[in-house]
Amino acid sequence: MEWIPVVGVVCGAVIALTSALMVEAQHNRAQRRQHREAERVRYCLEFALALDSAHSALREVAQDHDVSRDRLRPANRAVHRAGVFATRERLLVAGTVDLVKAGELAYDRLIAVRNAVRTGATLQSREYHQAYHAFTEAVWQLRMAARADLDQVVLEPADLDRRSWSEREGCRWCLEPASREPDPSPV
C-alpha cells in the first residue's frame, strides 16, 4: 500500500513532463512558422526592390538616344548590379507557390524590358512601352500576391485611384497614334 502514493506521484510527473514537452514543441513550431513567414516577406521585398532598381538602371540606359551605341553590356549590367538574380533565387526557394509564380512573371517581364533596351528601345519608343507596361502590371501582381500571403486585403487599382496596374490608359505616348512622332520628353 505504500507504493500507491509513489506511483501516483510518478504518473503525475510523467503527465506534467509530457504536457510541458507538447507545449514547448507547439511553441517551437509557431516560432519556426513566424520565422519562415518573416523570411518570405523579406525575400519578396528584396526581390521587388531589386526589380525596381534594375528597371531604374535600364531606364538610364534607354535614355541614350544614340541607337548605334552598344547597349547589350549596359543593359545586362543594370540587371546584374541590381541583384535581381540572387534575390530571385531566394524567393524561388522560400516563396509560396503564388509568390513564386508572381515573382517569375515579374522577372520575365523585366527581362523583356532589358531585351527591348538592349536592342535599342528608348523611353519614348513603342517597344519600350509595350515591355514597360507589362512589367508594371506584373510588379503589381507580385505586390498583391505578397499581400495575400500576409493575409492582407488584396487591393484593386481603383483602391489607389488607378484605372489599371499597367498604366497604359494614362500613358500619353501609348495613346498617340502610331503614325505620329513620339513626344521627346521622358515618360
Side-chain angles (χ1 to χ4, degrees):
M1 295 283 168
E2 296 176 19
W3 290 98
I4 293 177
V6 173
V7 170
V9 168
V10 169
C11 287
V14 168
I15 291 170
L17 180 61
T18 303
S19 296
L21 290 174
M22 288 174 53
V23 167
E24 183 64 26
Q26 287 176 344
H27 178 72
N28 286 342
R29 268 195 301 268
Q31 278 187 320
R32 283 194 306 271
R33 187 178 62 250
Q34 286 174 343
H35 177 72
R36 282 193 305 270
E37 288 173 1
E39 198 171 64
R40 245 190 350 263
V41 169
R42 188 175 82 240
Y43 292 159
C44 193
L45 283 173
E46 286 174 356
F47 185 59
L49 292 171
L51 290 170
D52 182 60
S53 179
H55 178 249
S56 293
L58 286 169
R59 285 179 62 88
E60 286 182 29
V61 175
Q63 284 178 346
D64 185 0
H65 293 285
D66 183 1
V67 292
S68 66
R69 231 170 127 185
D70 178 30
R71 291 183 172 189
L72 181 72
R73 285 187 189 96
N76 289 345
R77 224 179 356 258
V79 175
H80 181 73
R81 286 185 178 163
V84 171
F85 301 114
T87 58
R88 174 181 174 233
E89 288 301 320
R90 286 192 285 274
L91 184 63
L92 285 170
V93 170
T96 62
V97 171
D98 290 339
L99 280 177
V100 169
K101 285 179 180 178
E104 279 299 284
L105 180 63
Y107 170 78
D108 290 342
R109 301 286 171 84
L110 174 73
I111 297 305
V113 172
R114 182 204 62 192
N115 291 344
V117 170
R118 286 190 333 186
T119 59
T122 63
L123 292 181
Q124 292 78 32
S125 69
R126 187 162 304 284
E127 296 80 15
Y128 176 82
H129 278 260
Q130 288 173 341
Y132 166 75
H133 293 298
F135 169 70
T136 301
E137 187 168 12
V139 170
W140 276 103
Q141 289 175 8
L142 175 61
R143 291 171 181 144
M144 294 308 108
R147 289 184 63 81
D149 189 61
L150 294 169
D151 295 324
Q152 297 294 319
V153 174
V154 174
L155 301 172
E156 296 296 326
D159 295 331
L160 301 176
D161 273 342
R162 295 172 180 260
R163 287 182 260 170
S164 74
W165 293 132
S166 72
E167 303 174 347
R168 276 185 175 92
E169 62 284 324
C171 177
R172 67 174 178 251
W173 198 92
C174 290
L175 295 175
E176 290 181 9
S179 62
R180 282 185 42 200
E181 283 297 311
D183 181 357
S185 61
V187 177

